[in-house]
Amino acid sequence: MARPEKSPKLRKTRQQRLKDHPRRVTIADLATLLQVAPSTISRALASSPQVSKATCERVQALAAEHHYLPNHLAAALRKGHSQTLGVLVPHLTGFFFPEVVNGMAEEASRMGYNVIICQSNETQGLEMRQLDLLLNARVEGIIVSVATATRTYKHFEQVRAQGVPLVFFDRVAPGMVGDGVRTVRLDDYAGAYAAVAHLIEQGCERIAHVAGPLHLDINRNRYQGYLDALEAHGLTPDPALLYRSPTLTQVAGAAGIAAFLDLPEPPDALFAATDLVAVGAMQVLRERGLRVPEDVAVVGFSNELFTTLTQPPITSVDQRCQLMGELAVKTLLSMLPGSVEEALPPEVVLAPELLIRSSSQRLLRLATSR
Amino acid sequence: MARPEKSPKLRKTRQQRLKDHPRRVTIADLATLLQVAPSTISRALASSPQVSKATCERVQALAAEHHYLPNHLAAALRKGHSQTLGVLVPHLTGFFFPEVVNGMAEEASRMGYNVIICQSNETQGLEMRQLDLLLNARVEGIIVSVATATRTYKHFEQVRAQGVPLVFFDRVAPGMVGDGVRTVRLDDYAGAYAAVAHLIEQGCERIAHVAGPLHLDINRNRYQGYLDALEAHGLTPDPALLYRSPTLTQVAGAAGIAAFLDLPEPPDALFAATDLVAVGAMQVLRERGLRVPEDVAVVGFSNELFTTLTQPPITSVDQRCQLMGELAVKTLLSMLPGSVEEALPPEVVLAPELLIRSSSQRLLRLATSR
DNA sequence: ATGAAAGCGCTAACAA
DNA sequence: TTGTTAGCGCTTTCAT
């Protein structure tokens, strides 16, 4: 008995599909049209050196003519990697994360990678789910900033167990750096130190600080930078000039400065842990008839867009958002198998930049041209 | 001659791979472990009704134990659809786009779809490239807001030609609505009308307007709303009270108000096409010793975050960002083949919301409890 | 209720 | 330089 021919059946399915839908053109289609093997088409489209220039051009022309679009899914499945990176951020509101993501998207695109962006909405549950989603999508690596609500870190361990490189930025999971896990962060300590040193240079002597929850690295580092800058300049930190708040909003700033102003010895400067806090404080100061910076100088943190829009504009610490995004991607790419990227340190720490504006400038700047 | 057995060769490749890498567990692996067919595993994982409860549970338990992660790539390739939507925005800075994207991500996630977010950086070149990328990734539909630099629209036509549904939001390509193309926009006209009507109610009579380039729908509609509101209330638009600017920044606002104030009959109110323009104008007003809203009332547009942070806070028109994102996704999903979504109109137009703050409130509010 | 087998579109090893 | 062929991991008829 003759072996059944399989062509007829095949042909039928394909024709049927063709009728259903004006189907997208595939490599096989091009091969049929040009009477060459699919592999040749594949090679030609990739401009492989082992295909003749003539066929290469013919193929590319035909592909363009028929609006051939490579099927990334199939290629990724076959090749075993997807040229795609996963990014998981707590949210995309405010200034910081969008800006960082922007830097990432740019760098990734430049290196020929796609990016899938997900949000955890600051919850651990969604964080875990999105991580799974990214793994399902077979991303080659994941960049993540952990949600505030996250308390356990097993889900990140699992990513590493899958052999997927992980880069934390800004908010990093504690104790995970090592094989397959790296971090990119801002040097909050240095930023805070610079901010407070600047206030001291401007002649301030009683500098208050509104801090966030100190169990978070970020807030603790800012606080420590504040303390060390004071002591390095011979000032003794006054515990009464520290206001700790669970959130770092306008309301916190208003409450903080109000508390300070009621002290027997009120402060002559405020280092706020965020720009929003600085704004809240400035509003109260204005209500009480105090001038910024003459009576109280103010410095914020993050260099949010609105710092230039308030009256006066607020001195702030820039977080190098774009750069952070770029470096996160560079770091991740350098971790991919077969990467030739220059090796970056496993923990990148960015130097912040102090942007001095009117809210802290007490000294007349003596204009000397040099 | 016996047909060559292919098993040995196969086995070898697999073992080799296993040695290379601690490979991810597949359906085939689970099948081997449980001594059942791959198809059974597949069905069990999908909780198909045609598989016995017992095996279903056994399979799911085993899968969990081995941290099985479905390969989305393979499934999508086989099924012919990826459960993924593409989003292409000009950028992710500022307030508007991040917020809209947020709404999209939320709705998509709720409906079990992934989202790939790309940025065009406001250039047509990148816009075209990113569209290709999305098509390559076999997204099931694309949501896009067109770049300012975009002048031709063939690349969008091509998306439609591929049978991929397209939804424009906020910035829509002209003349494309129809089969496979829909839009979601804000009713800028209504927003502007409401803003100006509000100023008139507050007793303003000479209302100026800083407008953006009028070849863009958005700006033209805001301008028209301004005109119509004036006329509807018996006021005659004064051409001297219109300032047209190619950009809508603080600088534009400052320049605009400066020009207005030099008029023989300066305005008593400003309707700014953006919040940034409003801020710029307010800065100049303060410098000149004029009070807001007593001397000049100010209304902005977009309800940016910082409108509540200035002194005074700025009255503005909210653009319903989150809602816009959600509706864009809903619209897109309703266009997918086999969708059971309720039909939305091909052109969704959102009603904006006027948020009244101090910058425009001249009338003392008579507090009457009713 | 389960199994066998084909094939989504692409690429890479091997052969010619 | 080009062709042949197998297979990435999954789903889905069709058969049992």
Side-chain angles (χ1 to χ4, degrees):
Chain A
M1 195 205 221
R3 264 174 81 235
E5 273 301 308
K6 62 173 187 175
S7 294
K9 190 175 174 186
L10 270 185
R11 187 116 34 82
K12 192 187 154 211
T13 0
R14 168 150 297 191
Q15 280 186 352
Q16 189 180 313
R17 245 191 315 106
L18 279 171
K19 215 172 56 182
D20 284 4
H21 251 317
R23 218 183 36 87
R24 324 259 254 267
V25 37
T26 70
I27 285 196
D29 298 335
L30 297 179
T32 314
L33 286 172
L34 272 193
Q35 300 282 38
V36 294
S39 46
T40 304
I41 305 281
S42 175
R43 287 190 273 251
L45 289 173
S47 300
S48 156
Q50 54 172 331
V51 75
S52 82
K53 212 152 199 172
T55 34
C56 192
E57 277 165 17
R58 269 174 50 209
V59 168
Q60 308 225 8
L62 190 76
E65 183 191 340
H66 287 261
H67 298 120
Y68 167 74
L69 283 167
N71 188 328
H72 186 255
L73 260 37
L77 179 59
R78 173 63 234 240
K79 290 203 279 204
H81 55 257
S82 57
Q83 290 284 109
T84 300
L85 307 179
V87 172
L88 178 51
V89 291
H91 55 82
L92 277 175
T93 56
F95 176 72
F96 179 72
F97 287 113
E99 205 72 10
V100 176
V101 166
N102 197 32
M104 292 178 184
E106 223 137 89
E107 177 65 17
S109 168
R110 194 160 31 233
M111 304 304 283
Y113 279 78
N114 274 12
V115 170
I116 299 184
I117 300 166
C118 307
Q119 306 175 238
S120 63
N121 286 358
E122 300 282 17
T123 68
Q124 177 164 353
L126 205 48
E127 186 171 86
M128 296 169 73
R129 198 180 135 219
Q130 301 285 29
L131 236 35
D132 262 7
L133 236 51
L134 289 175
L135 291 176
N136 290 353
R138 290 309 190 262
V139 296
E140 301 193 38
I142 295 178
I143 302 177
V144 53
S145 192
V146 326
T148 45
T150 297
R151 290 287 168 268
T152 67
Y153 302 94
K154 276 167 226 147
H155 45 305
F156 295 121
E157 296 279 2
Q158 199 190 315
V159 172
R160 204 187 45 184
Q162 294 277 332
V164 176
L166 200 53
V167 171
F168 289 98
F169 76 94
D170 193 53
R171 310 193 198 155
V172 316
M176 283 201 59
V177 179
D179 195 30
V181 180
R182 303 205 185 166
T183 65
V184 178
R185 284 177 302 118
L186 185 81
D187 191 341
D188 288 281
Y189 175 89
Y193 191 102
V196 174
H198 160 70
L199 286 170
I200 296 171
E201 278 166 26
Q202 297 292 313
C204 302
E205 292 181 337
R206 283 188 59 72
I207 302 173
H209 179 45
V210 173
L214 295 182
H215 70 270
L216 290 181
D217 277 6
I218 295 181
N219 298 318
R220 201 175 46 246
N221 290 337
R222 291 180 193 175
Y223 176 51
Q224 194 62 48
Y226 158 78
L227 290 181
D228 290 0
L230 288 182
E231 295 190 348
H233 291 80
L235 295 176
T236 313
D238 179 349
L241 292 181
L242 171 67
Y243 183 88
R244 290 175 55 176
S245 167
T247 62
L248 290 171
T249 60
Q250 275 178 91
V251 179
I257 197 75
F260 295 142
L261 292 177
D262 289 343
L263 291 175
E265 279 190 279
D268 56 5
L270 170 67
F271 168 51
T274 69
D275 289 327
L276 230 36
V277 166
V279 171
M282 278 169 49
Q283 284 170 343
V284 169
L285 288 169
R286 182 187 295 105
E287 284 165 18
R288 303 229 184 163
L290 293 168
R291 294 161 305 166
V292 174
E294 292 83 351
D295 298 315
V296 180
V298 174
V299 176
F301 208 109
S302 286
N303 191 27
E304 302 260 354
L305 181 70
F306 63 76
T307 50
T308 63
L309 303 178
T310 52
Q311 188 61 29
I314 304 173
T315 295
S316 190
V317 178
D318 185 77
Q319 302 189 269
R320 322 297 300 278
C321 310
Q322 299 256 357
L323 183 61
M324 191 178 293
E326 278 177 42
L327 284 177
V329 168
K330 280 202 174 112
T331 302
L332 189 57
L333 293 184
S334 77
M335 298 163 75
L336 260 33
S339 155
V340 287
E341 296 284 317
E342 56 174 326
L344 287 156
E347 303 195 54
V348 176
V349 178
L350 291 179
E353 189 180 1
L354 181 66
L355 296 175
I356 298 172
R357 304 200 178 93
S358 317
S359 73
S360 67
Q361 272 191 299
R362 280 178 150 174
L363 271 37
L364 279 178
R365 178 151 306 189
L366 302 178
T368 52
S369 61
R370 23 172 149 173
Chain B
M1 194 209 229
R3 265 174 78 234
E5 273 301 307
K6 62 173 186 174
S7 294
K9 192 173 174 186
L10 268 185
R11 188 116 34 81
K12 191 186 155 211
T13 359
R14 167 150 296 191
Q15 278 184 352
Q16 191 179 312
R17 248 190 314 104
L18 278 171
K19 214 172 58 180
D20 284 3
H21 251 319
R23 217 180 38 84
R24 323 259 255 265
V25 39
T26 71
I27 285 196
D29 298 335
L30 298 180
T32 314
L33 286 172
L34 272 193
Q35 300 283 38
V36 294
S39 43
T40 305
I41 303 283
S42 175
R43 285 190 273 251
L45 289 173
S47 301
S48 156
Q50 53 172 328
V51 73
S52 82
K53 212 153 199 174
T55 34
C56 192
E57 280 165 17
R58 266 174 51 209
V59 168
Q60 309 226 10
L62 191 75
E65 183 191 339
H66 288 259
H67 298 120
Y68 167 74
L69 283 168
N71 188 327
H72 186 256
L73 260 36
L77 178 60
R78 171 65 232 245
K79 291 202 280 204
H81 54 258
S82 58
Q83 291 282 109
T84 300
L85 307 179
V87 171
L88 178 51
V89 291
H91 55 81
L92 277 175
T93 57
F95 177 72
F96 179 72
F97 286 113
E99 206 72 11
V100 177
V101 166
N102 197 31
M104 292 178 182
E106 223 137 89
E107 178 65 16
S109 168
R110 194 159 31 233
M111 305 304 283
Y113 279 78
N114 274 11
V115 170
I116 298 184
I117 301 166
C118 307
Q119 304 177 239
S120 64
N121 288 356
E122 299 282 17
T123 70
Q124 179 164 350
L126 204 48
E127 185 171 86
M128 296 168 72
R129 201 182 133 215
Q130 301 285 28
L131 276 181
D132 263 8
L133 235 52
L134 290 175
L135 291 176
N136 290 354
R138 291 307 190 264
V139 296
E140 301 193 39
I142 295 178
I143 302 177
V144 54
S145 190
V146 325
T148 45
T150 297
R151 291 287 167 268
T152 67
Y153 302 93
K154 277 166 227 147
H155 46 304
F156 294 121
E157 296 279 1
Q158 199 190 316
V159 172
R160 204 188 43 185
Q162 294 277 334
V164 176
L166 200 52
V167 171
F168 289 98
F169 76 95
D170 192 52
R171 309 193 198 155
V172 317
M176 284 201 54
V177 178
D179 195 31
V181 180
R182 303 205 183 166
T183 64
V184 178
R185 285 177 303 118
L186 186 81
D187 191 342
D188 287 283
Y189 175 89
Y193 191 102
V196 174
H198 160 69
L199 286 170
I200 296 171
E201 279 166 25
Q202 299 291 314
C204 302
E205 291 182 337
R206 284 189 58 71
I207 302 173
H209 179 44
V210 173
L214 295 181
H215 70 269
L216 289 181
D217 276 6
I218 294 182
N219 299 316
R220 199 174 50 249
N221 290 337
R222 291 179 193 178
Y223 176 51
Q224 195 61 49
Y226 158 79
L227 289 180
D228 289 2
L230 288 181
E231 294 190 348
H233 291 80
L235 296 175
T236 313
D238 179 347
L241 292 181
L242 173 66
Y243 183 88
R244 289 175 55 176
S245 167
T247 60
L248 289 171
T249 60
Q250 273 177 91
V251 178
I257 197 75
F260 295 142
L261 292 178
D262 289 343
L263 291 174
E265 276 191 281
D268 57 4
L270 170 68
F271 168 51
T274 68
D275 289 327
L276 229 35
V277 166
V279 171
M282 278 170 46
Q283 284 169 344
V284 169
L285 287 169
R286 182 184 295 108
E287 283 164 18
R288 303 228 184 164
L290 293 168
R291 292 162 306 165
V292 176
E294 291 82 352
D295 298 314
V296 180
V298 173
V299 176
F301 208 109
S302 287
N303 191 26
E304 302 260 356
L305 181 69
F306 63 77
T307 49
T308 63
L309 303 179
T310 52
Q311 188 61 30
I314 305 172
T315 294
S316 190
V317 179
D318 185 76
Q319 300 188 269
R320 320 298 300 277
C321 310
Q322 299 256 357
L323 183 61
M324 190 178 293
E326 277 177 43
L327 284 177
V329 167
K330 282 202 173 109
T331 302
L332 189 57
L333 293 183
S334 78
M335 298 164 75
L336 261 32
S339 155
V340 287
E341 295 285 316
E342 56 174 325
L344 287 155
E347 304 195 54
V348 176
V349 178
L350 291 179
E353 188 181 359
L354 181 67
L355 296 176
I356 299 172
R357 305 200 177 93
S358 317
S359 72
S360 69
Q361 272 192 297
R362 279 177 151 176
L363 270 39
L364 279 178
R365 178 152 306 191
L366 301 176
T368 52
S369 59
R370 19 173 151 174

